[in-house]
Amino acid sequence: MNKLIFATVLCFTALFFTDCNKNDNPPPSNTDYITKSSWKFSSAKAGGTDVTSLVPACFKDNTMLFLINGTGTINESTNVCSPASPANFTWVFQNNGKEINLSQPIISGGSTVFTIVLLNDASLVVSQTMTIAPNPPTMVELTFTH
């Protein structure tokens, strides 16, 4: 009888410890965050200085949508830039998710590769070195939100 009680207690103990603190939901990935919904421009810094007021209104009202299949769209909204931003692009994470490479530059004077400063449920912050004449190359940081 003691062996039966001991075996039963042992089984329940094993079940308790194997089921305890089990988390079947992995944390969201960069792809989960970036494809959650569309992104809208929030702010810009150049060389650490806030330059949001210098960003053209036609860029500020754009929205970007990243799709899980590696494509994306830019909606020009009410104020259309001239020349217009590309309507479609492809994207891929690179450098172990520390950078995002777009098939089209989204900023005049910029390149297609951005360093990801922050990517979470609410914010996308990217940076790159840009040359906007007549200024020397400058680190520019763009913040987008949902």
Side-chain angles (χ1 to χ4, degrees), residues 30 34 39-48 51 59 64 66 91-93 97-102 105-107 110-120 123-130 138-145:
N30 278 359
I34 206 162
W39 296 94
K40 185 171 179 163
F41 174 81
S42 177
S43 64
K45 292 181 183 178
V51 294
F59 182 79
M64 291 189 305
F66 294 84
W91 65 274
V92 64
F93 288 118
K98 296 176 185 171
E99 297 175 335
I100 187 166
N101 189 342
L102 308 175
I106 59 169
I107 304 168
S111 73
T112 60
V113 178
F114 288 90
T115 299
I116 298 172
V117 177
L118 174 68
L119 176 56
N120 62 28
S123 298
L124 168 61
V125 182
V126 293
S127 68
Q128 69 177 218
T129 300
M130 295 176 56
T138 304
M139 179 60 68
V140 173
E141 185 176 282
L142 302 173
T143 300
F144 299 88
T145 57

Side-chain angles (χ1 to χ4, degrees), residues 15 17 61 67 85 92 94 102:
L15 285 173
F17 283 113
D61 71 346
L67 301 175
S85 295
V92 64
Q94 60 186 36
L102 308 175

